[in-house]
Amino acid sequence: RTFPLALDVGSGRGYIAQHLTKETVEKLIQVDIAENALKNAVESEIPTVSVVADEEFLPFKEDTFDLVVSSLSLHWVNDLPKAFREIHQVLKPDGVFIGAMFGGDTLYELRCSLQLAELEREGGFSPHVSPFTAVSDLGHLLSRAGFNTLTVDTDEIQVNYPGLFEVMEDLQGKYILRMGESNCSWNRKPLLHRDTMLAAAAIYREMYGNSDGSVPATFQIYYMIGWKFHESQARPAQRGSATVSFGDLAKIDELL
């Protein structure tokens, strides 16, 4: 299938565009709220147009795009249900949304270590990593936005680091720009005391450390596919129209 016009939501420097070909996408609109990322977009073989915009307020008419993609940016969205509704609105009937985003168990080792260290040293804790959506909520949110024929999958990737400080440096550095690298909440605590950080590093190594001295950082990724309704799409059969009972499954060998 060829998609004449596609939209990349939260495109960053255009990493998805590098993996698209003219045979699948004829033209790509790249949208991101970070203007500098769009200005430094990488080259691709398909024509692209960059637009500075918020994922929650997409500046496009209804029924515009044949395909919408998004890779690892939606965990930064303030109002995820609204972002899904915006994506659904700009899709044409029988258009498809294909996305990936970080999910609930991402960086759980880091979060637990920081919380325990703050409770011990400071008598309370403040979140230092942005919140993530649970996979159990994702299908419901997509369905509520109007998508059908949903597919939701999850995967976990573990990356090993020398210690907690290297994990945090990598998250805040140039190599992993769009992670849960810090907490964007207004009520967050801006600084961690040195003693708290040292305690967190010790807790991290004690609770999660590998036998070789390194520590793991887990990244959970949700993959989702949702279609905008069209008359040509397959539909489930009417209730009660089945001609075979589930009870007959035990006799499948005889039937064959």
Side-chain angles (χ1 to χ4, degrees):
R1 182 167 180 174
T2 300
F3 299 96
L5 185 61
L7 173 68
D8 183 358
V9 176
S11 62
R13 295 184 58 212
Y15 301 108
I16 289 182
Q18 299 175 73
H19 302 284
L20 299 177
T21 64
K22 293 178 180 178
E23 288 72 34
T24 53
V25 174
E26 294 177 0
K27 186 176 182 180
L28 179 69
I29 309 297
Q30 296 174 313
V31 166
D32 201 285
I33 201 168
E35 186 176 359
N36 284 338
L38 292 173
K39 286 181 177 178
N40 294 291
V42 294
E43 294 288 331
S44 67
E45 72 169 65
I46 59 174
T48 60
V49 176
S50 298
V51 178
V52 178
D54 191 330
E55 295 93 335
E56 298 171 41
F57 304 95
L58 295 176
F60 306 105
K61 292 181 180 179
E62 190 174 352
D63 302 342
T64 298
F65 297 96
D66 306 279
L67 165 71
V68 176
V69 294
S70 179
S71 180
L72 307 184
S73 70
L74 290 175
H75 70 284
W76 272 113
V77 171
N78 294 312
D79 188 346
L80 188 58
K82 188 176 191 306
F84 283 152
R85 289 196 300 271
E86 288 284 302
I87 290 170
H88 182 269
Q89 180 172 302
V90 301
L91 271 174
K92 292 179 179 178
D94 202 34
V96 62
F97 166 56
I98 304 175
M101 65 181 291
F102 290 108
D105 287 339
T106 297
L107 300 174
Y108 74 88
E109 304 97 340
L110 176 62
R111 286 183 284 167
C112 289
S113 300
L114 289 172
Q115 288 176 7
L116 289 173
E118 277 194 290
L119 282 170
E120 177 193 344
R121 298 302 170 97
E122 303 180 34
F125 70 87
S126 172
H128 295 281
V129 177
S130 292
F132 296 102
T133 303
V135 69
S136 56
D137 296 329
L138 193 57
H140 177 63
L141 291 175
L142 289 165
S143 179
R144 238 174 61 184
F147 292 100
N148 60 48
T149 320
L150 297 173
T151 302
V152 176
D153 200 0
T154 181
D155 192 17
E156 284 190 3
I157 297 172
Q158 275 199 343
V159 182
N160 293 321
Y161 291 88
L164 175 141
F165 296 103
E166 287 79 10
V167 174
M168 297 185 73
E169 181 181 4
D170 202 14
L171 292 174
Q172 293 170 346
K174 64 182 180 179
Y175 297 107
I176 307 180
L177 288 174
R178 300 191 70 96
M179 302 292 296
E181 62 269 22
S182 61
N183 187 354
C184 57
S185 302
W186 285 108
N187 61 348
R188 72 188 185 279
K189 187 177 177 181
L191 296 174
L192 280 166
H193 296 298
R194 182 173 179 273
D195 287 348
T196 303
M197 290 292 293
L198 292 173
I203 292 170
Y204 202 138
R205 194 175 301 279
E206 179 66 27
M207 290 183 62
Y208 305 107
N210 299 315
S211 57
D212 62 359
S214 64
V215 297
T218 298
F219 303 100
Q220 186 178 37
I221 303 171
Y222 301 153
Y223 302 96
M224 64 203 103
I225 302 174
W227 296 80
K228 189 167 182 176
F229 177 75
H230 188 267
E231 289 292 338
S232 65
Q233 293 172 349
R235 303 185 199 179
Q238 292 290 328
R239 290 180 67 87
S241 63
T243 57
V244 179
S245 168
F246 274 110
D248 293 335
L249 290 176
K251 308 172 188 175
I252 189 69
D253 290 334
E254 300 172 22
L255 295 172
L256 290 175

